[in-house]
Amino acid sequence: CNSYVPRTMFANACRATAAAEAAGQIGGIDAYWRMHEWLMTHQADVVQGGDAAIRAAAPSLGLDPANLMAAMETSDVQQVLANEYNLASRIGMPEIPRIYVNFKPVSRWNLPNEFILERVIEEAGRPKATPAK
């Protein structure tokens, strides 16, 4: 769905993005954050189930499934997403999440079976050794 990025990193990520935006548009900021939280804690469900998983979760988030799915297709939601994709392209953000530590991009923060971001942050926070005089 984002022509500015060279590859799809996560299946159904575009649908998840549309779901969060649509939830916010039909239910306000609280609905946006409920959907966002659900998406973050149910990533495997979204990757595997896509729209079916989103539709099934809607009632527990206080959203009508049919309204949510319809809102995901509206030009309002699609325009917001297009604007966000365009902005990310203009500032040179090739993917999300894009993680920076001390203003430097971290290119390898999540390896198979090894989440190393915590170690990167710990290392970045350590005082630098003072060169010997």
Side-chain angles (χ1 to χ4, degrees), residues 106-124:
V106 177
S107 59
R108 296 182 66 196
W109 58 270
N110 193 11
L111 302 174
N113 301 317
E114 187 176 3
F115 189 72
I116 63 170
L117 185 57
E118 289 174 358
R119 292 191 330 221
V120 170
I121 293 169
E122 287 172 10
E123 183 66 29

Side-chain angles (χ1 to χ4, degrees), residues 126-133:
R126 288 194 180 123
K128 301 289 181 204
T130 307
K133 294 184 179 182

Side-chain angles (χ1 to χ4, degrees), residues 57-68:
S60 69
L61 303 172
L63 299 165
D64 177 82
N67 288 347
L68 177 65

Side-chain angles (χ1 to χ4, degrees), residues 1-23 35 39-40 43 46-47 50-51 54 68-69 71-74 77-82 84-85 96:
C1 64
N2 184 351
S3 62
Y4 297 103
V5 295
R7 63 191 166 98
T8 299
M9 294 180 64
F10 302 102
N12 296 317
C14 293
R15 298 305 288 165
T17 304
E21 181 61 31
M35 177 59 77
L39 291 165
M40 293 297 102
Q43 292 178 23
V46 176
V47 166
D51 282 3
I54 294 166
L68 177 65
M69 302 313 288
M72 289 168 61
E73 305 305 325
T74 65
V77 167
Q78 295 305 311
Q79 188 60 54
V80 168
L81 300 183
E84 290 176 0
Y85 302 150
I96 56 172

